[in-house]
Amino acid sequence: MAATDGGGEETPLNLVLQRVQKAAERSGRNMEEIRVVAASKTKAVSALRHVYDAGHRSFGENYVQELLQKAPQLPDDIEWHYIGNLQSNKVKPLISGVPNLAYVETVDDEKIANLLDRAVEKIGRKPLKVFVQVNTSGETSKFGVEPVQCVDLAKHITNCPNLEFCGLMTIGMLDYSSTPENFKTLSNCRSEVCKALGISEKQCELSMGMTADFEQAIEMGSTNVRIGTAIFGPREYPLKEEE
C-alpha cells in the first residue's frame, strides 16, 4: 500500500509524502501501510499527468462525469478511487466507463451496494473493492451510514459476490477541533465490524484524513488518506458539479 516516492525534488507531492512518512513514524507504523490518494476533483488532466509522471498511481475523483472524461485520457495503470457521493443512476456509467476503477469509498446503503454488485457482474470485471462510508459527525449535510448501522452494511457487502469489503471511510467536520472525535468513532466502528465479520483489523482499512488533517488521521490509524489541495493547489472549479 506504499505511498509513491517521486524522487528527491521538493514538489508538492514529495512534501506531502515526507509528511506522511513522519506521521507514520510518530505512530510507530511503516509508510508502506499508508495509501495516498491524490484527490484531483476539478483539476485538469495535465495536472494529473504531472503527478502521474512523478510516479504516483492512486487518484480519487468526486464526480462520475468528471472521472468518465478524465480516465480515457490517462494511462490505464492508474488506480482510480471514487470518493464522492454515488447516485443510483450513475452506477452503470461509472462501472462500464472506468475499467481501472479500483475502489468505491462511499457505499452508504444496501441499494448502492446491490447496484454496484450487479453492474460489476454484468461486465465481468474482477470484484470491486468498496468502503462503507460512515457519518461520524452526525451532520445532516454529510452522507454515510450512522455508526450503529455500519456492521449491518458491511455484512451485506460481504454477501455480494462481485464486491470486496475493504474498510470504512469518513469525512471529518470542518471544525477541526472535532476531528479527533470523528476519527476515534471510525476506529471504534472498525473494531465492531472486525468482531462481527471475524476478521483482523489489518483486513479493514480506515479511509480518513484530507489536506487539513491527514497527519492526525495517520497518527490515529488511517491507512488511506485523500489529499487534494496539498498536492494540486486550491481548486478552481472549472467543471460544473453534478447535482
Side-chain angles (χ1 to χ4, degrees), residues 22-24 26-27 29 208 214-222:
K22 289 177 182 177
R26 286 194 297 272
S27 58
R29 299 164 65 201
M208 59 188 193
F214 72 87
E215 289 156 305
Q216 189 171 35
I218 290 169
E219 291 172 15
M220 296 185 69
S222 180

Side-chain angles (χ1 to χ4, degrees), residues 166-238:
C166 287
L168 307 175
M169 175 267 208
T170 196
I171 299 172
M173 294 178 72
L174 290 176
D175 175 7
Y176 293 111
S177 64
S178 301
T179 295
E181 184 178 340
N182 297 158
F183 291 168
K184 185 176 180 181
T185 296
L186 196 69
S187 182
N188 291 340
C189 287
R190 176 170 65 175
S191 298
E192 295 172 6
V193 167
C194 290
K195 182 179 179 180
L197 298 183
I199 61 176
S200 70
E201 291 197 350
K202 287 187 177 181
Q203 293 173 281
C204 184
E205 291 194 46
L206 293 181
S207 176
M208 59 188 193
M210 298 186 288
T211 288
D213 54 17
F214 72 87
E215 289 156 305
Q216 189 171 35
I218 290 169
E219 291 172 15
M220 296 185 69
S222 180
T223 62
N224 189 89
V225 290
R226 312 175 304 273
I227 304 175
T229 302
I231 294 175
F232 294 104
R235 294 192 179 111
E236 299 168 2
Y237 293 95

Side-chain angles (χ1 to χ4, degrees), residues 18 20-31 34 218:
Q18 289 170 24
V20 168
Q21 183 168 3
K22 289 177 182 177
E25 290 172 352
R26 286 194 297 272
S27 58
R29 299 164 65 201
N30 192 312
M31 186 174 174
I34 300 156
I218 290 169

